Amino acid sequence: MTNNKDKAIPHDHTIEGGIGLLSEGYEFAMHRRQEFKSNIFQTRMLGQKAICIGGKEGAELFYNEELLQRGGAIPKRIQKSLFGEKGVQTLDGQAHMHRKKLFMSLMSPERLSEIQELVRQQWEAAALKWQSTDQLVLFDEAQQVLCRAACQWAGVPLQESDVKQVADDLGDMVESFGAVGMRHRRGRQARRRTEQWIGNLIQQIREGKLEAPEQTAAHAMSWHRDLEGNLLDLKVAAVELINIIRPIVAIGRYVVFSAVALHHYPEAREKLVQSLQSGDHTYSQWFVQEVRRFYPFTPILGAQVRKDFTWKDHPFEEGTMVILDVYGTTHDEQLWQQPDAFRPERFEHWGGSPFDLIPQGGGDHYRNHRCAGEWLTIDVMRVSLEFLTTHIRYDVPEQDLTIDLSRMPAIPESRFIMSHVQMQN
């Protein structure tokens, strides 16, 4: 209920903010926050009122589960292409915490060490083949490298003859986000194929026809029981297993952004190489975090108001859509000095706040909707970055490395072409 003390929220007067989002992409919310000089403004999304928030305090509010919920906030078109229906991203409360615990159980130090080693092995195997190739596209190769590693780590059998199709399907699901037309249709078709494949796999595990090692995601998703003690519905179990392997394949985008950064910022590359040659991985960690902060990955996230409340004298009514400006928060000059500069050194004294570096969501990994695989992402990125700098030499031919921020998800136009790849001694 509003009152005389409530402040007016700045309004975006475009008829439908969703059109602005599709045309401006990652900068849609950030531009308006800058225009209004406010970390909150009102717009319309999908034909309904929406309040957009950003900055550290905005992120803290977004992950306050007493006030906001994620259930009902993810459009069906995104569930049917990117996330899958009834997956962990759509849950709230105890149901969400119970399902999230399942995902976090897979992120033990031992399992994270295993995925690092698998990724290392797959990069080495790929590089041996690259030496006989004049030119390659890193994005395509990264998706296949990470697909092999992800499936092996997750306990999902994958024939080499199927790697490209599976990697393309998982990539097409990611491509469908923020897309209309053919890209969205490809994502939905890819999800149907993949859910059928993974669903059959889980059915075989449950029937004892296929063995999945106990520590793997395939075993965990096949035998997980909900709060009522029931096995997950077969389709939901398939959705959740895909929610393990698909995000690992999506790290290929960060690998490409890492390669772009190495190419565009030679001083940072030199510091990285010197650090690694001395056996110190600290700068490597800073470099990875700066790639995650600097380059576009997640543009926005959505939630719904759980109950009426007031924040900073602004009213939030039950059922209202709330949008978190993720990209704008990682480029907020109030949080990051010179946010448009690529500076890994900024993380030397970073405090590790859960509400400023939020490219994969914010808050607590166990309680909130922050990506369960964030630690895995950082580890895989670091292994891949060090492979690119210390294990191979390559040329970067002339190409278009433009990153169009109106395209969601973003990727360099050329997908990063490499030539004359050679293993280093």
Side-chain angles (χ1 to χ4, degrees):
M1 181 70 67
T2 60
N3 57 54
N4 292 332
K5 294 182 180 180
D6 291 333
K7 292 182 181 178
I9 299 177
H11 274 56
D12 169 25
H13 291 292
T14 54
I15 297 175
E16 170 59 44
I19 297 175
L21 179 63
L22 287 175
S23 62
E24 298 176 49
Y26 289 83
E27 296 179 306
F28 165 78
M30 184 174 71
H31 282 163
R32 282 153 183 78
R33 287 172 52 219
Q34 292 171 344
E35 176 188 348
F36 296 133
K37 295 180 173 58
S38 172
N39 279 333
I40 180 172
F41 69 89
Q42 183 175 314
T43 185
R44 293 186 66 80
M45 287 283 175
L46 304 176
Q48 60 179 299
K49 171 184 172 181
I51 298 176
C52 184
I53 56 179
K56 187 174 181 179
E57 291 183 326
E60 290 175 348
L61 170 63
F62 189 83
Y63 288 98
N64 184 332
E65 295 191 350
E66 292 184 5
L67 302 178
L68 300 177
Q69 61 186 11
R70 297 295 288 276
I74 301 176
K76 282 291 184 182
R77 69 188 307 274
I78 294 180
Q79 292 184 46
K80 291 182 177 181
S81 55
L82 178 61
F83 291 132
E85 296 181 272
K86 300 182 180 180
V88 65
Q89 299 93 341
T90 68
L91 302 177
D92 286 296
Q94 290 299 315
H96 173 259
M97 289 184 64
H98 183 67
R99 190 82 60 83
K100 189 68 176 291
K101 185 178 179 181
L102 164 67
F103 280 81
M104 295 307 299
S105 71
L106 301 169
M107 303 300 158
S108 67
E110 296 77 17
R111 295 292 285 141
L112 291 176
S113 293
E114 184 178 339
I115 187 66
Q116 291 176 56
E117 184 56 32
L118 289 172
V119 169
R120 224 177 256 115
Q121 292 172 6
Q122 290 297 336
W123 280 124
E124 295 284 352
L128 288 173
K129 298 177 183 177
W130 296 349
Q131 292 186 113
S132 59
T133 303
D134 290 337
Q135 205 170 79
L136 60 94
V137 178
L138 180 60
F139 179 64
D140 296 340
E141 297 292 330
Q143 287 201 142
Q144 293 182 38
V145 161
L146 295 175
C147 181
R148 292 186 187 95
C151 287
Q152 187 174 350
W153 184 74
V156 174
L158 180 64
Q159 298 295 320
E160 181 60 28
S161 58
D162 296 329
V163 168
K164 186 179 185 305
Q165 179 65 64
V166 172
D168 286 348
D169 279 348
L170 295 167
D172 282 344
M173 291 181 210
V174 179
E175 274 286 298
S176 68
F177 175 78
V180 294
M182 183 56 69
R183 269 206 295 149
H184 179 71
R185 286 195 293 274
R186 281 201 303 266
R188 292 182 69 148
Q189 291 166 358
R191 171 154 291 280
R192 284 194 293 269
R193 279 194 298 270
T194 309
E195 284 187 4
Q196 182 177 8
W197 168 49
I198 295 295
N200 289 337
L201 175 78
I202 291 174
Q203 186 66 47
Q204 291 179 57
I205 293 172
R206 289 178 175 178
E207 292 175 353
K209 297 177 181 177
L210 181 66
E211 183 178 354
E214 188 170 342
Q215 74 275 15
T216 63
H219 182 277
M221 301 308 173
S222 297
W223 300 112
H224 178 72
R225 294 184 180 273
D226 61 22
L227 290 172
E228 286 71 43
N230 301 314
L231 287 175
L232 292 178
D233 174 83
L234 188 62
K235 183 175 180 180
V236 174
V239 164
E240 299 297 44
L241 185 48
I242 295 168
N243 274 332
I244 290 290
I245 60 176
R246 184 203 69 250
I248 296 176
V249 172
I251 298 171
R253 292 176 182 273
Y254 272 143
V255 173
V256 171
F257 289 141
S258 297
V260 172
L262 291 170
H263 180 62
H264 281 164
Y265 306 102
E267 291 184 3
R269 180 191 180 109
E270 183 60 28
K271 291 178 182 178
L272 173 63
V273 170
Q274 291 177 358
S275 174
L276 293 175
Q277 287 176 342
S278 68
D280 184 0
H281 296 266
T282 303
Y283 195 85
S284 176
Q285 191 79 359
W286 297 349
F287 197 103
V288 163
Q289 293 289 46
E290 182 68 342
V291 168
R292 296 177 67 234
R293 184 201 69 82
F294 185 77
Y295 289 98
F297 197 70
T298 303
I300 61 172
L301 292 169
Q304 281 186 334
V305 176
R306 187 185 293 272
K307 60 182 180 182
D308 290 1
F309 69 93
T310 298
W311 180 69
K312 293 185 176 298
D313 298 326
H314 295 305
F316 286 69
E317 298 178 347
E318 181 180 351
T320 302
M321 180 186 296
V322 178
I323 297 167
L324 176 63
D325 178 14
V326 175
Y327 179 79
T329 298
T330 61
H331 289 76
D332 192 327
E333 61 184 11
Q334 295 181 10
L335 301 176
W336 309 99
Q337 186 178 16
Q338 295 181 304
D340 294 328
F342 185 86
R343 293 178 50 247
E345 294 83 1
R346 73 174 74 246
F347 286 97
E348 181 176 5
H349 302 295
W350 178 58
S353 167
F355 299 111
D356 53 11
L357 184 63
I358 57 169
Q360 293 173 269
D364 181 78
H365 287 93
Y366 288 87
R367 282 192 57 86
N368 299 126
H369 281 266
R370 193 181 190 110
C371 176
E374 184 175 21
W375 301 333
L376 183 152
T377 298
I378 293 169
D379 287 343
V380 168
M381 284 180 66
R382 182 179 54 77
V383 168
S384 302
L385 175 67
E386 294 176 4
F387 166 79
L388 290 172
T389 50
T390 63
H391 289 250
I392 60 173
R393 296 187 304 273
Y394 57 90
D395 294 332
V396 181
E398 185 175 346
Q399 59 189 284
D400 185 357
L401 289 172
T402 302
I403 299 172
D404 181 1
L405 292 177
S406 70
R407 185 190 193 278
M408 300 180 295
I411 193 71
E413 186 66 29
S414 66
R415 275 64 171 171
F416 202 84
I417 300 169
M418 303 163 67
S419 62
H420 307 119
V421 176
Q422 292 295 318
M423 301 288 287
Q424 295 199 46
N425 296 328

